[in-house]
Amino acid sequence: MARVPLSKSQLRKEKESLVSYRRYLPALDLKRQQLMGERVHAVRAIRDAEAKVVGAAAEAGAALPMLADSRIDVSGLVTLGKIEYGTQNVAGVSLPILRSVEIIRVPYGRMVRPHWVDAVVERLEEAIRLRIEVDVARQRLAKLEKAVATTTQRVNLFDKVLIPEAEANIRRIMVYLGDAERAAVVGGKIAKRQRAAGGAT
């Protein structure tokens, strides 16, 4: 703990700081709670999106057993085009959101490939979208984890360091100033008595 001057001006500064810390701490704690709530949503969003990916793959396998036929090449039928991201402000933290995904269907001869290839293309499109959603949800979670950690550190700094320090400094300065004032009063009385005693002789 740094040594603080034991003066009236320092006492005023410490009191002002304490008022400021106490005013700021609830807002900071509220921000932390909001971020923690958003983090819970982000974890859920990742779990849901990953479950959709697994579910889509299982559905594709069940609905299209023809995919096992290696003679039919389905690679390269869809490609990822433009992805448009945006941002969402949550308690002062900028989080990524997915605005749109462009999936490009590569033209293929419908007479050359079996009819079920259309269903494969649709499922591939869905799989690409879902994987991008998972990626964005993970990015959101990473940013939220970092923001929660930083905000928690700040809450602890105010709650466990700055406020107790300011309170201790105020007590110490007030005790010192009270002692100094009493000493001045006592010294004044002694001097008065000495003057009175000196005048009597």
Side-chain angles (χ1 to χ4, degrees):
M1 189 184 291
R3 189 169 172 79
V4 294
L6 302 174
S7 65
K8 286 184 180 178
S9 64
Q10 184 64 33
L11 179 62
R12 189 174 61 253
K13 282 182 194 170
E14 293 290 336
K15 283 182 175 180
E16 286 170 0
S17 294
L18 184 59
V19 168
S20 173
Y21 298 154
R22 284 182 173 157
R23 188 183 311 124
Y24 189 57
L25 180 59
L28 199 57
D29 196 39
L30 179 63
K31 176 179 178 174
R32 182 176 62 100
Q33 289 171 21
Q34 287 174 329
L35 291 171
M36 288 171 73
E38 195 62 35
R39 182 178 62 180
V40 169
H41 292 310
V43 168
R44 195 175 301 133
I46 290 172
R47 198 169 49 235
D48 291 349
E50 286 176 340
K52 283 181 188 173
V53 169
V54 171
E59 280 178 28
L64 303 166
M66 304 74 89
L67 284 172
D69 187 350
S70 58
R71 292 172 297 166
I72 308 295
D73 184 20
V74 293
S75 63
L77 292 177
V78 292
T79 57
L80 180 60
K82 186 178 159 191
I83 303 173
E84 188 183 337
Y85 297 100
T87 55
Q88 176 190 20
N89 188 322
V90 175
V93 179
S94 183
L95 299 175
I97 56 171
L98 184 62
R99 291 207 188 283
S100 65
V101 180
E102 179 190 24
I103 308 285
I104 301 164
R105 288 189 180 199
V106 177
Y108 56 89
R110 294 186 189 277
M111 302 303 276
V112 179
R113 296 189 192 223
H115 66 89
W116 52 264
V117 171
D118 290 344
V120 170
V121 167
E122 285 174 18
R123 292 188 191 274
L124 287 172
E125 285 180 0
E126 184 186 1
I128 290 171
R129 273 196 192 87
L130 288 171
R131 288 186 196 285
I132 293 167
E133 283 177 22
V134 168
D135 184 50
V136 170
R138 285 186 179 141
Q139 288 175 38
R140 284 176 69 90
L141 180 61
K143 285 197 164 200
L144 284 165
E145 294 281 6
K146 189 176 176 185
V148 166
T150 302
T151 309
T152 300
Q153 285 174 346
R154 287 184 185 152
V155 166
N156 289 338
L157 174 67
F158 276 81
D159 192 37
K160 295 183 170 55
V161 179
L162 296 177
I163 289 175
E165 244 180 43
E167 288 171 341
N169 289 341
I170 289 167
R171 278 193 303 273
R172 196 162 50 251
I173 294 169
M174 288 180 74
V175 166
Y176 174 80
L177 292 177
D179 288 350
E181 194 176 313
R182 278 190 293 281
V185 169
V186 169
K189 285 182 179 177
I190 291 170
K192 189 175 177 183
R193 257 191 246 126
Q194 285 175 346
R195 277 195 306 274
T201 55

